[in-house]
């Protein structure tokens, strides 16, 4: 039986955390001993960990400055302190402190894998968990394989860190297809009269990365200046909630923008919406955009890593700027026939995506690495 350990900073409700939960459900526990080590205590998804997966928690509290404190200890010391036992394969499933810790494994028989979920164009964006940029580069070179969730994420990091091509792999995120596809609304019609508001939805952590601080002024412009009838549901939690709520009040959007909090299974909300909007400043390979497309939902998004790979020619991808996203949304929202056409294209692309089994590809890759 192959013994694998996944390590992740938290299970606090982000995209990578949800992807990991979906992936863990796909392992054959007659073949694999699957273990999960969560570094910090903040675990929204803990009750969704499949039975049979051994959960280990370090019980380190997440507080301002603890990443800096961890840098006082070497990766080797942290690995011995936290991991303690031997595994065939150890995986850091999200870039950050767990990457540094896993690189501290000194067992030559253990395969080390680093999963990169975001697109990075500056090493400083990755550097907060490391003593120096030099240590960061040495850490990434310690891994037997580095997995990227999109081609663009791979290209970006390889422009910054010299990794052998044979030690890199692109593997798209797995999804619980059955759970998503139960909510497909094949016969849903786009409201064609201007009296009916178009219902937008977006899902993500309420953080700088997701760009909701620039989506809200766009909503105000569409509603108050352009006279468009549109509403927006925002699903997610995060550190910017209070700031965003104040922004909603200041922009006179209280009647049209709704904060729905964290929703474990957002598929019903997605299926009931008319369009998905992504305002992110950066992504890796967006789980929620993939889920929206699987459900046949038209997508308007900023140009982030993985978007062209997910959508191909079925959605609207704008430049990653507030004005460009505004123009893209206005174009679609002003032409309801165009919105209906985009739904048909999204349904067709959703059918293609539903035939992919990314989880099997990932497990086959892990089987090969572990052998």
């Amino acid at each position: 039986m192959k013994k694998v350990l996944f390590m992740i900073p938290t299970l606090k409700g982000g995209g990578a955390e949800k992807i990991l939960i979906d992936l863990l459900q796909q392992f054959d526990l007659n073949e694999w001993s699957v273990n999960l080590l969560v570094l910090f205590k903040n675990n929204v998804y803990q009750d969704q960990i499949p039975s049979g997966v051994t959960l280990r928690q370090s019980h380190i509290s997440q507080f301002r400055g603890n990443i800096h404190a961890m840098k006082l200890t070497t990766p080797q010391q942290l690995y011995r302190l936290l991991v303690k036992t031997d595994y065939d394969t150890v995986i850091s499933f999200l870039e950050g402190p767990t990457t540094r810790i896993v690189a501290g494994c000194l067992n030559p028989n253990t395969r080390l894998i680093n999963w990169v979920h975001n697109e990075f164009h500056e090493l400083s964006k990755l550097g907060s968990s490391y003593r120096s940029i030099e240590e960061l580069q040495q850490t990434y070179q310690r891994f037997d394989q580095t997995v990227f969730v999109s081609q663009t994420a791979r290209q970006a990091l390889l422009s910054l860190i010299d990794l052998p091509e044979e030690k890199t792999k692109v593997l798209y995120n797995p999804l619980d297809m059955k759970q998503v596809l139960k909510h497909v609304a094949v016969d849903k019609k786009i409201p064609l009269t201007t009296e009916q508001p178009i219902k937008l939805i977006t899902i993500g952590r309420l953080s700088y990365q997701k760009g909701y601080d620039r989506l809200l002024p766009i909503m105000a412009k569409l509603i108050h200046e352009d006279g468009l009838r549109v509403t927006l549901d925002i699903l997610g939690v995060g550190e910017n909630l209070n700031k965003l709520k104040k922004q909603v009040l200041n922009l006179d959007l209280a009647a049209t923008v709704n904060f729905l909090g964290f929703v474990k299974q957002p598929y019903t909300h997605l299926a009931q919406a008319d369009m998905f909007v992504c305002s992110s400043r950066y992504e890796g390979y967006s789980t929620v955009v993939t889920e929206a497309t699987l459900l046949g939902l038209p997508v308007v998004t900023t140009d982030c890593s993985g978007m062209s790979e997910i959508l191909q020619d079925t959605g609207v991808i704008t430049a990653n700027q507030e004005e460009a996203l505004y123009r893209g949304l206005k174009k679609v929202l002003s032409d309801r026939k165009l919105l209906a056409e985009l739904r048909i294209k999204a349904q067709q692309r959703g059918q293609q995506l539903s035939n992919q089994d990314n989880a099997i590809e990932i497990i086959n890759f892990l089987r090969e690495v572990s052998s």
Side-chain angles (χ1 to χ4, degrees):
M1 182 176 286
K2 298 177 180 66
K3 197 174 178 183
V4 61
L5 173 69
F6 288 88
M7 194 170 183
I8 194 165
T10 73
L11 292 175
K12 65 184 178 182
E17 293 89 337
K18 176 65 165 59
I19 292 158
L20 178 56
I21 293 297
D22 287 345
L23 176 60
L24 293 177
Q25 293 170 350
Q26 305 303 315
F27 279 88
D28 179 354
L29 298 180
N30 292 315
E31 179 185 0
W32 298 87
S33 169
V34 183
N35 302 266
L36 173 62
L37 175 56
V38 182
L39 188 58
F40 301 120
K41 294 187 292 184
N42 188 349
N43 299 326
V44 169
Y45 283 122
Q46 183 167 332
D47 63 350
Q48 295 187 44
I49 296 170
S51 60
V53 172
T54 301
L55 173 64
R56 295 176 51 197
Q57 291 183 284
S58 70
H59 300 294
I60 299 173
S61 296
Q62 193 168 19
F63 59 88
R64 192 177 185 87
N66 64 350
I67 297 295
H68 178 71
M70 291 176 69
K71 288 189 283 189
L72 301 175
T73 307
T74 68
Q76 293 78 15
Q77 290 169 326
L78 287 168
Y79 188 89
R80 286 196 300 269
L81 175 67
L82 296 170
V83 179
K84 298 178 181 177
T85 189
D86 289 331
Y87 296 90
D88 297 307
T89 304
V90 179
I91 301 164
S92 169
F93 200 71
L94 185 62
E95 55 272 4
T98 57
T99 309
R100 183 172 182 263
I101 293 167
V102 171
C105 174
L106 296 178
N107 185 341
N109 297 317
T110 299
R111 302 296 93 191
L112 305 181
I113 301 176
N114 182 24
W115 229 273
V116 178
H117 286 268
N118 283 298
E119 181 178 343
F120 295 97
H121 295 280
E122 300 174 29
L123 284 178
S124 59
K125 300 290 186 183
L126 277 167
S128 62
S129 297
Y130 302 89
R131 294 176 177 178
S132 64
I133 294 298
E134 183 181 18
E135 186 192 54
L136 185 160
Q137 292 174 317
Q138 291 172 348
T139 295
Y140 273 70
Q141 290 163 352
R142 283 272 300 127
F143 286 87
D144 297 290
Q145 287 286 328
T146 298
V147 174
F148 300 88
V149 298
S150 70
Q151 293 288 352
T152 45
R154 177 182 178 275
Q155 292 163 6
L157 192 69
L158 292 187
S159 71
L160 302 174
I161 299 176
D162 185 20
L163 297 176
E165 186 173 340
E166 66 273 13
K167 289 191 173 186
T168 67
K169 182 83 171 177
V170 174
L171 292 169
Y172 295 128
N173 291 334
L175 288 173
D176 187 347
M177 296 288 189
K178 291 180 181 178
Q179 185 63 242
V180 177
L181 294 174
K182 282 195 299 187
H183 300 273
V184 172
V186 177
D187 59 347
K188 181 175 174 62
K189 301 293 191 297
I190 297 295
L192 293 178
T193 65
T194 55
E195 288 73 27
Q196 296 173 278
I198 293 174
K199 186 174 183 179
L200 303 184
I201 189 170
T202 189
I203 303 174
R205 185 161 182 79
L206 306 184
S207 64
Y208 173 81
Q209 174 190 349
K210 301 302 180 181
Y212 298 141
D213 58 307
R214 57 184 183 173
L215 178 58
L216 293 177
I218 290 172
M219 285 291 295
K221 202 170 178 180
L222 292 169
I223 293 168
H224 301 317
E225 295 183 20
D226 300 323
L228 294 171
R229 291 181 59 79
V230 58
T231 65
L232 173 66
D233 287 346
I234 301 176
L235 280 65
V237 295
E239 59 272 18
N240 287 351
L241 175 60
N242 290 334
K243 288 182 181 178
L244 293 171
K245 283 186 172 181
K246 287 180 182 177
Q247 197 175 6
V248 164
L249 292 176
N250 291 337
L251 293 169
D252 192 21
L253 292 172
T256 51
V257 174
N258 306 299
F259 292 95
L260 302 184
F262 175 75
V263 179
K264 288 184 180 179
Q265 301 290 353
Y267 312 122
T268 300
H269 291 277
L270 281 168
Q272 292 172 349
D274 298 312
M275 188 167 77
F276 187 91
V277 57
C278 174
S279 55
S280 292
R281 291 180 167 92
Y282 56 91
E283 288 286 348
Y285 188 89
S286 174
T287 300
V288 291
V289 168
T290 308
E291 290 171 338
T293 305
L294 279 167
L295 292 171
L297 201 60
V299 173
V300 175
T301 178
T302 50
D303 190 3
C304 299
S305 177
M307 293 303 180
S308 60
E309 293 165 69
I310 299 168
L311 298 174
Q312 296 186 352
D313 62 348
T314 63
V316 175
I317 302 175
T318 75
N320 204 321
Q321 301 165 346
E322 184 174 321
E323 179 63 23
L325 181 58
Y326 160 70
R327 290 197 302 269
L329 282 168
K330 182 180 178 181
K331 178 180 178 180
V332 177
L333 294 171
S334 301
D335 186 345
R336 300 199 179 205
K337 289 185 179 179
L338 172 60
L339 182 55
E341 290 170 5
L342 288 173
R343 174 171 283 279
I344 292 171
K345 288 185 176 182
Q347 289 171 343
Q348 292 169 345
R349 178 60 179 151
Q351 284 287 330
Q352 294 171 350
L353 289 172
S354 69
N355 292 325
Q356 298 177 5
D357 198 331
N358 298 336
I360 287 180
E361 188 174 353
I362 290 172
I363 291 172
N364 286 340
F365 164 76
L366 295 178
R367 187 180 290 119
E368 181 181 341
V369 171
S370 301
S371 61

